[in-house]
Amino acid sequence: MSASAFHDAVGQGIKNLGRLNLAGDVMAVKYEGWDTIYRNDGAMTAMARYIRGGARDEVEVNIGQVVGAPDVVRRVFIVTSSLSRTDVANGFAQAADGNPLRPNFVQLYWILMGFFSACAEIGAVGCVVCQP
């Protein structure tokens, strides 16, 4: 249960939270990119981009409706192998029993709370997918 390894994953998640609420002009540029062929490390390929959910115009309308919907639920997932749900549960059980906690567990707790707080600030639900 490494707090520093988990910090890297959380940092990436928090860094990208702003992408959940992209402004219309930023999305317009993204939509235009959907009509281009795929590039791999700057090299042009012959592969057309694939859009799931209908034609580009239809997908744009659907995204616009979802972004503006008052009941939309935004979820942000961090997927990591550096964390074990069992270890975290055991840490909380130790704390509930009044036992001293390892310093890395306290650091991990603060990192988790920072992630969940950052998600809540933008109206998202933070989720962590980890080892059992």
Side-chain angles (χ1 to χ4, degrees):
M1 192 163 58
S2 169
S4 60
F6 187 62
H7 184 268
D8 293 340
V10 171
Q12 289 294 319
I14 290 174
K15 177 186 72 141
N16 290 311
L17 286 177
R19 301 186 66 79
L20 285 178
N21 296 318
L22 293 178
D25 56 339
V26 176
M27 287 303 295
V29 171
K30 288 184 112 6
Y31 296 143
E32 289 172 16
W34 292 356
D35 291 332
T36 63
I37 59 172
Y38 177 74
R39 294 182 191 181
N40 185 13
D41 291 329
M44 301 297 277
T45 69
M47 294 182 283
R49 293 182 183 268
Y50 177 74
I51 301 172
R52 293 188 317 185
R56 175 186 155 185
D57 295 341
E58 185 180 354
V59 172
E60 283 184 51
V61 168
N62 290 340
I63 289 173
Q65 290 173 344
V66 169
V67 168
D71 59 343
V72 69
V73 177
R74 291 176 174 86
R75 290 186 178 90
V76 179
F77 287 84
I78 291 179
V79 180
T80 181
S81 61
S82 66
L83 189 65
S84 163
R85 185 180 192 284
T86 302
D87 289 345
V88 172
N90 289 341
F92 284 123
Q94 274 187 294
D97 290 341
N99 296 322
L101 299 171
R102 296 188 328 242
N104 66 326
F105 182 82
V106 175
Q107 291 171 340
L108 180 71
Y109 173 79
W110 284 108
I111 292 168
L112 276 170
M113 291 303 98
F115 169 65
F116 292 132
S117 294
C119 290
E121 284 181 25
I122 64 159
V125 177
C127 304
V128 178
V129 178
C130 62
Q131 296 184 31

